[in-house]
Amino acid sequence: MPSTLKTIVTSLLLTVPLFPVLAQRAAINAIRQEDIKRDLYILADDHFRGREAGTLDELKASVWLAEQARKAGLEPAGDDGTYFQFFPLIRERVSDKSTIAIGNRMFTLWKDVVVYEPVFADVNDPIVFLDDPATATAERIRGKVVALQFSDKGINDPRVHIYTRYGAIVVSTWARKLATLGAKAIIFVSDDLAQKAYPRATQYNNRGSYQITGSLFHRQLLNGVPILWLPKETLDLVRLPGQTLQARIFSESFTYPSVNVVAKVKGRDAKLSNEYVLFSGHQDHDGIRNLEPGKDSIFNGADDNASVSVALLAIGKAFVQQPPRRSALFIWHGSEERGLFGSTWYADNPTVPRESIVAVLNADMIGANAPDSAALLGVIPPHRSSSDLVNIALEANAKGPKFKLDTGWDKASHPEGWYFRSDHYPYAKKNIPALFYSSLPHALYHTPADESQTLSIEKITKFAQWMYLTGIEVANREQRPALEPGFKLER
Ligand SMILES: [Zn+2]
């Protein structure tokens, strides 16, 4: 069709509500690959320095998103008539003033030694080296420093052989047991596998821990008992009979702002427009880390989660073109990567009445893996919060992108626990029907190589259209999606 004629027909369809299906088809055409590509390449550019939570970079990205939302015709729905909802992020980290020595050797923090989590401790005690930590007794280790080498012995967790998980699994398996038996400090020395993850730990654990009031996750393993992780070459030194640890470890804590960007498109029904379909994503990623000196150190998070951030802008445009009966709420959550903090905060402190949110359509990473594959989580019990909502989303997939759906990752038995790792979770916990759209992780996940040019723009566009078709149906139905009887999330 010639483009002028197309424009006339499109605008006719949009103004004549007699043809809602055709009008909806015209609105879905507002979700355009060109826009998604342009926005993705801007948001995942080095300019935003990886959008790390609580930094100026996250704020800068948030301002950019709010400005795009405003230009697209979305109204502000944050605090005080703005697009923003700020919240305090509390960070605790090990102080550079800390000193650690074994025997006569002084250790350099984050090079020769990783302090596993923030702690205050003053230790000057003998080291007991355990060949097998399962043999530890209170008699043997109370008041002493316990040292052991990493090992998967006695651990059943199937993820223990993934090197990025290995360290955390071994530490969490033994640290509490040994602390309960009275260890004054615990030293883990790398074996070959743990040594592969050691450089990463020097870059991650130095960042410390983050929380907000009301955090769903408590990451601190021990209170007051320091956990040290040493590289493999220290094994002989640590094992020397009569060896001692001298450690004075301090921590510091500070509070800084993170932010949710909140916008809305008002529905056209006088009554139902007081209810909201919530489209959700996160705008933050992992900032700048120096994992590989001399190489790219900016974690641009193009898939995670610039892909969804720009998809929400496109969906917003489609809603502005043809508003349905209910209103649509769009939230670009902050601090997801630090522990789902933006969504936890919003679910506790919503800027619209919580009961008015009829469904949450959240997405995280929608541009990678096979072009025709996707996952929808929140479908299989116990994750299934609403059969109504699930059916609408599955019908929307059949009508729209026709993705082949991978169901494995939604199972409670899946070792990755993917369902619990994005922003729908705090809402689902509050019994709001919720779904999680994802194209699932991949080799570039949480690396500096998660860049725009690795993604399929077509796939992101299809996901956006799928979410749009789901949301528009929820927004137009007479009844809101019913909560599944007996729905309860347990983990
Ligand atoms: Zn993510």
Side-chain angles (χ1 to χ4, degrees):
M1 176 177 343
S3 64
T4 39
L5 182 57
K6 193 172 169 185
T7 313
I8 293 166
V9 173
T10 306
S11 50
L12 258 179
L13 290 175
L14 290 173
T15 48
V16 182
L18 288 173
F19 307 105
V21 174
L22 293 175
Q24 193 174 304
R25 204 169 293 158
I28 203 173
N29 290 334
I31 300 175
R32 288 149 35 103
Q33 285 199 40
E34 305 91 277
D35 295 347
I36 284 176
K37 182 171 184 182
R38 182 198 58 227
D39 291 347
L40 177 74
Y41 276 73
I42 292 172
L43 187 58
D45 188 85
D46 285 355
H47 173 72
F48 288 112
R49 295 163 43 94
R51 311 184 301 279
E52 175 152 0
T55 69
L56 287 173
D57 306 322
E58 184 195 42
L59 293 186
K60 195 162 75 172
S62 298
V63 169
W64 183 83
L65 279 164
E67 180 59 9
Q68 305 317 304
R70 189 189 64 77
K71 280 189 194 157
L74 279 71
E75 297 170 41
D79 284 334
D80 305 322
T82 73
Y83 288 97
F84 305 105
Q85 182 191 45
F86 289 93
F87 56 92
L89 190 61
I90 304 155
R91 182 172 178 185
E92 200 179 353
R93 68 180 176 197
V94 174
S95 162
D96 291 344
K97 307 263 186 303
S98 305
T99 56
I100 294 168
I102 293 179
N104 295 325
R105 177 169 164 189
M106 290 292 295
F107 284 67
T108 306
L109 204 56
W110 312 122
K111 181 172 165 286
D112 308 328
V113 57
V114 166
V115 180
Y116 196 76
E117 57 187 13
V119 66
F120 285 89
D122 189 353
V123 180
N124 187 358
D125 293 283
I127 296 174
V128 178
F129 192 93
L130 299 177
D131 287 313
D132 179 359
T135 63
T137 59
E139 256 182 323
R140 195 163 160 218
I141 68 171
R142 180 169 295 133
K144 298 189 176 124
V145 176
V146 173
L148 63 156
Q149 193 170 25
F150 279 86
S151 161
D152 62 3
K153 212 176 133 203
I155 300 175
N156 288 323
D157 192 321
R159 299 167 303 170
V160 77
H161 302 293
I162 306 170
Y163 87 93
T164 50
R165 293 291 182 84
Y166 179 59
I169 291 171
V170 175
V171 170
S172 64
T173 301
W174 295 114
R176 266 201 206 102
K177 287 180 191 162
L178 297 169
T180 308
L181 292 173
K184 204 155 171 203
I186 304 166
I187 298 173
F188 289 87
V189 183
S190 286
D191 62 354
D192 286 332
L193 192 56
Q195 192 56 33
K196 276 175 76 179
Y198 182 80
R200 187 184 164 95
T202 65
Q203 295 292 332
Y204 274 70
N205 297 57
N206 67 343
R207 308 174 85 81
S209 59
Y210 299 76
Q211 56 180 314
I212 54 168
T213 40
S215 296
L216 289 174
F217 301 108
H218 298 281
R219 290 183 168 168
Q220 193 83 6
L221 268 178
L222 304 179
N223 282 315
V225 178
I227 304 170
L228 307 181
W229 180 349
L230 300 183
K232 197 179 171 212
E233 47 94 8
T234 64
L235 185 63
D236 289 342
L237 177 80
V238 173
R239 292 190 80 133
L240 271 184
Q243 196 59 284
T244 58
L245 169 72
Q246 301 99 45
R248 303 194 74 195
I249 304 172
F250 309 93
S251 292
E252 56 202 9
S253 122
F254 48 98
T255 302
Y256 49 11
S258 182
V259 63
N260 293 321
V261 179
V262 192
K264 70 178 175 190
V265 177
K266 199 165 164 36
R268 59 183 160 76
D269 183 286
K271 193 160 156 277
L272 292 181
S273 62
N274 293 318
E275 295 183 347
Y276 295 86
V277 180
L278 197 173
F279 289 89
S280 150
H282 71 86
Q283 33 87 351
D284 70 307
H285 193 55
D286 274 350
I288 299 180
R289 301 173 183 209
N290 302 310
L291 286 179
E292 295 169 90
K295 293 192 181 160
D296 184 5
S297 57
I298 303 179
F299 286 60
N300 287 318
D303 195 24
D304 189 6
N305 200 18
S307 66
V308 172
S309 297
V310 303
L312 295 194
L313 288 172
I315 296 168
K317 278 179 206 154
F319 269 82
V320 168
Q321 275 211 16
Q322 183 65 25
R325 299 175 71 195
R326 288 189 176 81
S327 298
L329 191 64
F330 293 83
I331 307 185
W332 292 264
H333 294 102
S335 296
E336 189 270 356
E337 300 287 6
R338 305 279 70 80
L340 313 185
F341 293 144
S343 48
T344 301
W345 186 268
Y346 193 88
D348 280 341
N349 308 278
T351 58
V352 301
R354 193 185 298 120
E355 321 74 65
S356 72
I357 302 172
V358 302
V360 175
L361 306 180
N362 176 60
D364 208 338
M365 301 162 56
I366 55 171
N369 291 322
D372 60 346
S373 75
L376 182 67
L377 294 94
V379 172
I380 301 173
H383 304 156
R384 188 184 183 94
S385 54
S386 167
S387 289
D388 290 345
L389 185 60
V390 166
N391 291 336
I392 292 170
L394 294 178
E395 279 162 29
N397 182 42
K399 243 196 284 179
K402 300 178 181 59
F403 283 125
K404 287 182 199 143
L405 298 183
D406 177 327
T407 55
W409 289 69
D410 194 23
K411 291 187 178 139
S413 59
H414 196 287
E416 287 285 343
W418 196 239
Y419 177 83
F420 296 94
R421 289 165 58 183
S422 194
D423 285 320
H424 56 286
Y425 175 48
Y427 297 97
K429 264 201 88 101
K430 292 200 184 289
N431 287 339
I432 301 172
L435 287 174
F436 173 19
Y437 298 74
S438 178
S439 56
L440 299 173
H442 43 84
L444 310 181
Y445 171 67
H446 282 222
T447 74
D450 178 3
E451 304 269 21
S452 300
Q453 64 272 18
T454 66
L455 302 182
S456 161
I457 303 297
E458 194 185 346
K459 188 166 182 176
I460 298 172
T461 311
K462 281 185 180 176
F463 259 102
Q465 292 172 340
W466 181 19
M467 293 174 75
Y468 168 78
L469 288 171
T470 312
I472 206 92
E473 178 64 28
V474 174
N476 275 326
R477 284 208 175 176
E478 193 58 37
Q479 300 295 330
R480 57 197 282 169
L483 187 73
E484 206 69 358
F487 173 66
K488 193 163 196 261
L489 282 176
E490 269 168 14
R491 206 189 175 190

